[in-house]
Amino acid sequence: MYRFCRMWLIKTVAAHRETVCRVLVHASSVRNAEPCIRARGWRCYSALRPSYELRRRRGESRSSAPVCSYSVSARSGECEALVYRKHGDPAQVIQLDRLALPELGVSDVHVKMLAAPVNPSDINMVQGTYAILPELPAVGGNEGVGQVLEVGSQVTSLRAGDWVIPQDAGLGTWRTEAVLNETTLTAVPNDIPLLCAASLSVNPCTAFRMLSDFESLQPGDCVIQNAANSGVGQAVVQIAATRGIHTINIVRDRPDLHQLTERLKSLGADHVITEDTLRKPEMKELFKKVPRPRLALNCVGGKSATELLRHLQKGGTMVTYGGMAKQPVTVPVSALIFKDVKLRGFWVTQWKRDHAHDREKVRAMISALCQLFRQGKLSAPASTEVPFRDYQTAVQDSMKPFVSAKQILVM
């Protein structure tokens, strides 16, 4: 038995001597060797990964360890993915499956997914009610962050070790690995916390654009928003605070209202009130402390949107970016005639498609948001990390009412 094991070891080392030498040359320590081991796709990687790697990915410790600059072609050939073959109840139609990885083309990038949120738009897409629907069968997920393992020979903007996020919706991020075209990905710095990177491409971008594109807001101005505890709402609070803009934040009444109010105020919210308070005379007292808002952000619709309109100053703008109540926006004629309010809509997916050939503007937005992450002025929304194989828990919890924590799948 000893002789057999010894001969097997000699043959194995001989067969992989080139790889072993390259790892030793490029890595003088386990920390430097880790990216090389991962790039090879060895199944022993998860057992060898030290605890500091998980801390670094979560932003608790940021390592500047170098990543191998070369890429090697040794993929396992398959990945795990959350697939749905028909539209319906996500808890029923989403299944964990194994998918074959395509061959790496000259313009392709091999990505290992690190984390991916479960957003309302993801659920709507599985249900078949979203504005865009991929062909079935489809992999769920529109947002997330991955790390580049290998690049094709003609890829110029990315290299092994880079962190990347989707450029557009419908990429299918609920999977462990993917081979994607270079143009579908945007590089992000890997010195920001993992959860910030995973939730960067939808909510913070939506908040950033709405605060920037519809009204020329100045320090001291005011913004009012409903669904303030949503991912977008939390980002609006934090970005507005960095610009000296006051926020009035509307939330639904709930058992943990006090805790929610304190959490939003800790992010920089000036005022947090319930939907019921929005309709009461107390609002007059509030507007003695802050000016009437120039911008209203509506994610609910129905009566909530109508109340936002009532409190806008003359010539103000209401931007609708969601419809959680599934009720139409009703606009009083007086608001249009006597207050000359403007009604706009916003969809970050469309904005990115409209600026697909203006990558510099997209990169500038990503850079500005990442700088806020580094400065501690912007954080990921309250989140619950869920192991990838426990996806059913994440999906079900994401659909529960009054759950403020975003469910994020960690691969």
Side-chain angles (χ1 to χ4, degrees), residues 251-257 273-276 402:
V251 298
R252 290 180 293 175
D253 198 3
R254 63 191 67 209
D256 63 342
L257 179 61
I273 60 177
T274 65
E275 294 278 359
D276 290 337
F402 303 120

Side-chain angles (χ1 to χ4, degrees), residues 55-128:
R55 294 198 303 270
R56 184 186 71 81
R57 285 171 51 183
R58 291 179 177 171
E60 297 170 17
S61 174
R62 299 189 180 109
S63 167
S64 57
V67 178
C68 300
S69 59
Y70 64 88
S71 54
V72 287
S73 179
R75 293 183 299 282
S76 62
E78 287 188 335
C79 72
E80 292 184 328
L82 301 183
V83 180
Y84 57 101
R85 292 174 170 77
K86 62 180 180 179
H87 297 300
D89 180 0
Q92 301 296 324
V93 301
I94 297 175
Q95 296 179 328
L96 179 65
D97 207 347
R98 296 196 67 84
L99 301 180
L101 288 171
E103 289 297 318
L104 188 75
V106 294
S107 299
D108 290 340
V109 179
H110 179 203
V111 176
K112 170 183 168 52
M113 292 304 300
L114 301 177
V118 180
N119 290 320
S121 58
D122 303 325
I123 297 299
N124 293 156
M125 198 171 278
V126 176
Q127 293 168 333

